[in-house]
Amino acid sequence: MQRSLTIALDMMGGDYGPRSSIPAAVEAVHLHNSLTLILCGNETLIEEQLSRLDALQHPRLKIKHCTQIVTNADEPAYALRNKKDASMRVALDLVKSGEAQACVSSGNTGALFAIAHYVLKMLPGIKRPALISTVPTQTKRPVYLLDLGANVHCDAHTLYQFGIMGTVVAREAQDIEYPKVSLLNIGSEDIKGHEGIKAAAKLMSSCNTINYTGYSEGSDIFSGKADVIVCEGFVGNVALKTCEGIAKLIMHKMTKALKKHLLYRGLALLLMPVIKKIYKKVNPDQYNGASLVGLRGIVVKSHGNASASAFLAAINEAVKEVQRQLPEKIQAAFAENEPTPDTSAENS
Amino acid sequence: MQRSLTIALDMMGGDYGPRSSIPAAVEAVHLHNSLTLILCGNETLIEEQLSRLDALQHPRLKIKHCTQIVTNADEPAYALRNKKDASMRVALDLVKSGEAQACVSSGNTGALFAIAHYVLKMLPGIKRPALISTVPTQTKRPVYLLDLGANVHCDAHTLYQFGIMGTVVAREAQDIEYPKVSLLNIGSEDIKGHEGIKAAAKLMSSCNTINYTGYSEGSDIFSGKADVIVCEGFVGNVALKTCEGIAKLIMHKMTKALKKHLLYRGLALLLMPVIKKIYKKVNPDQYNGASLVGLRGIVVKSHGNASASAFLAAINEAVKEVQRQLPEKIQAAFAENEPTPDTSAENS
């Protein structure tokens, strides 16, 4: 890592708060020697965890005391209006003011989405932000799936814009010149999707930035035939969480089957590391962060019951996005394709 | 099996046609000694396969020659209008006329749906038919998932009706008095679903037939916390096919990991049967049939690239549905809940 960079962390989110976010922060400054972290949250709790790890005096770990916490029970609109000194809000404000180049949180997704949208605003010409993450495939490269739940329903133009954003993210992260973009649809032998998807396919086909390669079905997600798969948030969220569920089920059935026979019980001990490694890989929601793209700033969301290693993975993702200058690259792609002067009226 | 029964089979559907449907039919009449099958399709091809299995003279295998085939490339409307002597259409006509009590096909889903809807019509008071199938869970009982793609989008009232149909199917098949019904939604900590789902939840809560237990996320599908999960067809189709895809991915990764080390290579041989069994279980689309419910007749859809054993499973499912008198039970449940005189105007 060359340039020095600063990331604001919401220390109070997720099921474990500072107990998982502090070990991750300490590890992150060890890994990246020009990284400074601003730890937003309750000063007492943060100091307690820091001193446990002998990191209270670390010069690149700075505490920003906040008096409020956004809980999982908070409605997004309520959190936005009433929690202006919450760790999540303060971390986003630091990105807005330029004191930090990115924000990482494992807190309430709906609130994070609403506050980030309000504080950071959209990049010019972009209608809606999207939550994007990778899913493993049978090839060496993962596939980028968006939207994962930031927008329940999406019109054709929004899906098309997600195609551009997904292209930029995959291109920058995976170093692919023309990432293959696909729209998630139901089987071509079934009723062939709704009008919105057909219209999005048309828009994508006629866009120079997007290497549109047709529809994918749910079963194609993991085949590696596409680098980016676009769908509306409801569908993407269900698909991602279905992966999580089925991976858990397979683990459960496999463990049970292996333990059933004495012969297999011995094998199970040998095989468990292999099975667990695969489980981690197919359970991306848990182990990678998801990024909110389309905003004038970098926001990475870690899973709500993220461990320290998952929170660290989210910090690492934020570091990479800063280095890749992701918002600037997205903005440049939109300037080429949709040279709208400004749509800030839409972004309020 | 007590009562004699007759089922019409579309022999020409799927990727293998009579090559998989004939062995399944022969096996089915061996299994069920009061079952008669009407084999709809090309007489020459059917006879060829039957004679291979020495079953040409079987008294309970009757051939109904058809001159047309619905292909996977056929648009549903085209097949409906122009393929009146196709094996699929003839099999459904036999159900309509009462000569058969159920129909099984592995052909073009969209066409099967459109022709079944047109030929058989809806049961009184039901707005839309749904495609329903089971998905395995961590408990001994599977969960019934509907709709799996018969209806891309569904309004609240349709989702509510699916709740009633799912209840009847699970009650009759699993012998549960009050199956737990859930609506598939995106995480409660996210933006909490759309208005249609909230309205459906309200309708389900106030219905005596439905034991409504709240929302499920994608990750909950396999936990067994619900017996029936309701969603619109687009989402259900993606969820089911995602299962298929991730199961394939896990198989792929596991096989690769096991083959990597000499030690594991030996274990792999021992474990493959266990892994394959689990794969079959978590890949329900492939191994069970899906049923089209809400119609005045029983229609079971087998997977397009179904093997003989999968087609046999679909025939077995049809036999059970006839024995359970599923359409009559669904009709009775609707008569209790929605005593609409008739909505045949809607069903055209």
Side-chain angles (χ1 to χ4, degrees), chain A residues 190 217 241 246 267 271, chain B residues 109 217 237 241 246 267 271:
Chain A
D190 293 350
E217 292 187 60
K241 290 201 168 147
I246 198 93
L267 300 186
L271 277 176
Chain B
T109 312
E217 293 187 60
N237 184 285
K241 291 201 166 146
I246 197 93
L267 300 185
L271 278 175

Side-chain angles (χ1 to χ4, degrees), chain A residues 88-284:
Chain A
M88 181 188 282
R89 173 65 176 264
V90 171
L92 287 163
D93 283 338
L94 288 169
V95 179
K96 170 77 179 172
S97 69
E99 288 168 79
Q101 287 125 293
C103 157
V104 177
S105 173
S106 62
N108 181 329
T109 312
L112 181 66
F113 174 72
I115 299 172
H117 194 182
Y118 176 80
V119 169
L120 298 176
K121 310 282 184 246
M122 303 304 302
L123 285 168
I126 302 185
K127 289 166 80 173
R128 304 284 302 164
L131 204 58
I132 184 168
S133 189
T134 56
V135 170
T137 71
Q138 293 193 14
T139 72
K140 278 182 187 165
R141 278 207 300 249
V143 56
Y144 285 81
L145 195 60
L146 77 165
D147 172 42
L148 297 173
N151 312 277
V152 176
H153 288 310
C154 305
D155 63 18
H157 195 253
T158 303
L159 291 173
Y160 152 72
Q161 290 200 335
F162 291 174
I164 298 178
M165 293 200 273
T167 296
V168 176
V169 173
R171 190 181 65 202
E172 298 301 319
Q174 301 292 322
D175 204 20
I176 323 166
E177 204 171 353
Y178 295 110
K180 286 170 285 178
V181 177
S182 180
L183 275 161
L184 191 58
N185 201 349
I186 60 176
S188 61
E189 89 272 14
D190 293 350
I191 298 100
K192 289 147 189 157
H194 48 73
E195 291 312 311
I197 287 191
K198 288 177 200 165
K202 248 190 191 168
L203 288 169
M204 287 190 185
S205 301
S206 59
C207 168
N208 286 332
T209 301
I210 300 173
N211 175 16
Y212 178 67
T213 57
Y215 296 135
S216 284
E217 292 187 60
S219 49
D220 300 324
I221 297 175
F222 317 93
S223 69
K225 77 171 207 181
D227 300 304
V228 177
I229 294 182
V230 174
C231 58
E232 56 181 17
F234 194 98
V235 173
N237 184 285
V238 167
L240 194 73
K241 290 201 168 147
T242 300
C243 289
E244 199 183 314
I246 198 93
K248 236 184 248 172
L249 176 73
I250 291 176
M251 277 291 284
H252 172 86
K253 296 241 180 233
M254 193 126 339
T255 314
K256 222 172 118 188
L258 289 174
K259 281 187 180 159
K260 216 169 166 183
H261 303 289
L262 199 59
L263 167 69
Y264 288 142
R265 225 181 286 171
L267 300 186
L269 280 176
L270 284 167
L271 277 176
M272 264 325 184
V274 178
I275 296 173
K276 276 194 181 148
K277 205 174 139 195
I278 292 164
Y279 177 58
K280 278 195 185 184
K281 274 192 192 159
V282 297
N283 199 348

Side-chain angles (χ1 to χ4, degrees), chain B residues 212-242:
Chain B
Y212 178 67
T213 57
Y215 296 135
S216 283
E217 293 187 60
S219 49
D220 300 324
I221 297 175
F222 317 92
S223 70
K225 78 171 208 183
D227 300 305
V228 177
I229 294 181
V230 174
C231 58
E232 55 181 18
F234 195 98
V235 173
N237 184 285
V238 167
L240 194 74
K241 291 201 166 146
T242 300

